[in-house]
Amino acid sequence: MMLGKVIRKYRKERNFTQEEMAERLGVTASAVNKWEREVTCPDIALLAPIARLLEISTDTLLSYRENLTPKEIRELMEKTQKMLKETGYGEAFGWARKQMEQYPNCEELVLNMAACFEAYAITHEVPEAEKREREICALYQRLLESSEESIRMQAASGLVGYYRRKGQFEEAETYLQYFSIQNPERKRMQAQIYGETGRIKEAYKAYEELLFADYQRISAILHGMYQLARKENDRKQARKLVEKQGELARCFEMGEFYEVVPRLDLAVLEQNQELALDTMEKVLASVAGIGGFRQAWLYEHMTFQEMQPELLENMKKQLLQSFADEETYGFLKEEPRWQALCGKQAENCGTSGKVGEK
């Protein structure tokens, strides 16, 4: 809000006429009228007396705020979009620049404006295109100095995209440094650049590494959600989440072991004998292929360490040992199939004792 509008607003709230306000400030009514019509501005020496008279702070009088609210940013962006449609790029950008100048520290506003005008310039012909591109890049460059990591990354992403579209791939790669090595967006954008510069194998490898890491991340998330459902004794939710874990493993070509092993804890939770025994047998049968993803077409450009036979054999022994734990699987005590599994465990351990024998 401009100074004149602020004076008029608070004068009316205090029920002063222009003449009354002028008399108290020692100026003419004509002067107050000109302030409110924004023909002239009050002398700087009058700002404090005006604020005291209207019972507001000088910050309020001058419409000073350090930042905009999310709602105000949204409203400014809506007006920007409307101006782009109705008046064109040049006038809209000029108006937007004034808003950014009023709130030079509002990085969210600058970021939104840069993205808005960049999107418009990509899909429309704009006058003085190169000049406009430089203006947008300057906004992104300015945000690279932000103290907020998310702002820096979004600005860097905008610059990577801009230089990729221009075919300046080396320049695009320089902005990847604003992303941490662990950030998957860095690898994804690097893969795009690899693909666009003919480094196809490198691009495939980067994408495959992202897929493999995503499987591990999503699997951990689903398991965490399963634990929450288990804690709340929500059996229906727990079953659905276990099914999702199996579907995820199938989708990501992880092999049967990873598809079936999540069911084991569910079987114990439900004391489901049939599910427990079927899952135990499938888990044991699939141990040999636990590293099947190493041969999956989905990861053919990745290099994995080979799993040693001794490691697989040791894993099978550990599984058999855990399956023989009566504290966990005592509900299977009378089942011949479980007794057979425990017999195998006893053989592996070099003992001949019966199940449950102390």
Side-chain angles (χ1 to χ4, degrees):
M1 192 181 293
M2 300 300 288
L3 178 59
K5 290 186 177 66
V6 176
I7 292 173
R8 180 180 175 81
K9 175 179 183 293
Y10 288 101
R11 175 180 65 78
K12 285 183 171 291
E13 286 186 10
R14 295 278 288 134
N15 293 316
F16 288 144
T17 64
Q18 289 183 342
E19 288 77 10
E20 288 172 330
M21 183 173 180
E23 183 180 347
R24 296 194 182 204
L25 292 171
V27 297
T28 65
S30 174
V32 174
N33 181 268
K34 287 180 180 179
W35 296 343
E36 292 185 359
R37 290 189 295 115
E38 296 172 0
V39 176
T40 62
C41 289
D43 187 275
I44 192 169
L46 284 172
L47 293 180
I50 290 171
R52 283 194 289 269
L53 177 63
L54 299 177
E55 297 182 358
I56 58 176
S57 68
T58 53
D59 282 353
T60 301
L61 178 64
L62 298 171
S63 296
Y64 172 76
R65 283 176 299 157
E66 290 190 359
N67 235 326
L68 293 164
T69 66
K71 181 182 177 183
E72 288 169 330
I73 293 173
R74 187 166 60 250
E75 288 171 350
L76 286 174
M77 295 312 303
E78 287 171 358
K79 185 169 182 180
T80 302
Q81 294 280 8
K82 185 177 180 182
M83 288 188 70
L84 278 168
K85 290 178 182 177
E86 295 177 355
T87 66
Y89 190 101
E91 190 171 334
F93 191 87
W95 178 84
R97 185 186 290 282
K98 287 181 181 178
Q99 311 315 308
M100 291 185 281
E101 287 170 353
Q102 285 190 46
Y103 297 95
N105 294 327
C106 186
E107 294 174 337
E108 286 286 348
L109 178 63
V110 176
L111 181 64
N112 276 274
M113 288 294 189
C116 175
F117 283 98
E118 180 186 24
Y120 186 90
I122 291 171
T123 56
H124 298 75
E125 285 193 19
V126 298
E128 302 179 285
E130 289 190 10
K131 175 186 175 184
R132 299 307 183 187
E133 288 172 353
R134 288 195 298 272
E135 289 172 337
I136 293 168
C137 284
L139 294 177
Y140 282 137
Q141 289 280 358
R142 166 180 163 186
L143 295 172
L144 292 177
E145 303 301 320
S146 172
S147 60
E148 295 289 331
E149 184 182 13
S150 63
I151 295 287
R152 294 197 304 272
M153 288 193 301
Q154 289 178 79
S157 180
L159 288 164
V160 171
Y162 169 74
Y163 285 110
R164 276 184 49 232
R165 289 192 299 276
K166 298 287 285 184
Q168 298 176 24
F169 299 108
E170 288 186 12
E171 186 70 17
E173 284 184 287
T174 64
Y175 293 100
L176 295 179
Q177 66 180 301
Y178 288 91
F179 297 81
S180 69
I181 295 293
Q182 293 78 22
N183 192 319
E185 273 299 286
R186 175 171 180 158
K187 183 165 284 190
R188 185 188 65 79
M189 289 188 287
Q190 181 67 76
Q192 287 180 316
I193 293 171
Y194 283 152
E196 290 164 347
T197 54
R199 291 173 282 180
I200 304 302
K201 288 184 178 180
E202 290 94 330
Y204 265 123
K205 183 174 182 289
Y207 282 129
E208 290 168 14
E209 288 171 349
L210 284 170
L211 278 178
F212 194 75
D214 277 348
Y215 166 76
Q216 295 173 313
R217 179 177 58 84
I218 299 170
S219 180
I221 291 169
L222 288 173
H223 181 68
M225 293 172 70
Y226 166 78
Q227 292 295 340
L228 292 177
R230 198 175 190 275
K231 187 175 182 180
E232 294 184 324
N233 200 29
D234 188 341
R235 303 288 179 84
K236 183 178 179 181
Q237 184 79 345
R239 281 193 295 273
K240 288 194 293 186
L241 287 163
V242 164
E243 288 170 7
K244 283 295 177 189
Q245 285 181 288
E247 291 170 12
L248 181 73
R250 281 191 292 279
C251 177
F252 281 77
E253 300 282 331
M254 296 306 294
E256 187 180 13
F257 180 89
Y258 294 99
E259 292 174 28
V260 299
V261 76
R263 301 176 197 164
L264 202 52
D265 190 79
L266 180 67
V268 175
L269 177 66
E270 296 181 340
Q271 300 286 282
N272 186 325
Q273 294 179 337
E274 192 66 26
L275 179 61
L277 290 165
D278 284 347
T279 303
M280 285 176 172
E281 289 169 353
K282 287 178 179 177
V283 165
L284 288 170
S286 60
V287 167
I290 196 171
F293 57 83
R294 290 167 171 78
Q295 286 78 45
W297 65 270
L298 198 55
Y299 310 110
E300 63 181 337
H301 295 86
M302 290 179 66
T303 301
F304 297 97
Q305 286 186 344
E306 287 298 323
M307 293 196 73
Q308 299 301 315
E310 311 85 66
L311 180 62
L312 294 174
E313 188 60 32
N314 188 49
M315 183 179 293
K316 193 169 184 178
K317 287 179 181 178
Q318 289 177 345
L319 284 168
L320 283 167
Q321 187 175 355
S322 69
F323 293 164
D325 177 21
E326 286 194 36
E327 186 176 345
T328 304
Y329 297 105
F331 67 99
L332 300 172
K333 195 168 184 178
E334 304 302 322
E335 289 291 324
R337 290 162 67 189
W338 182 69
Q339 294 170 5
L341 286 172
C342 291
K344 288 183 182 179
Q345 191 272 331
E347 290 173 12
N348 279 318
C349 292
T351 64
S352 56
K354 294 181 181 178
V355 175
E357 188 175 274
K358 302 295 182 185

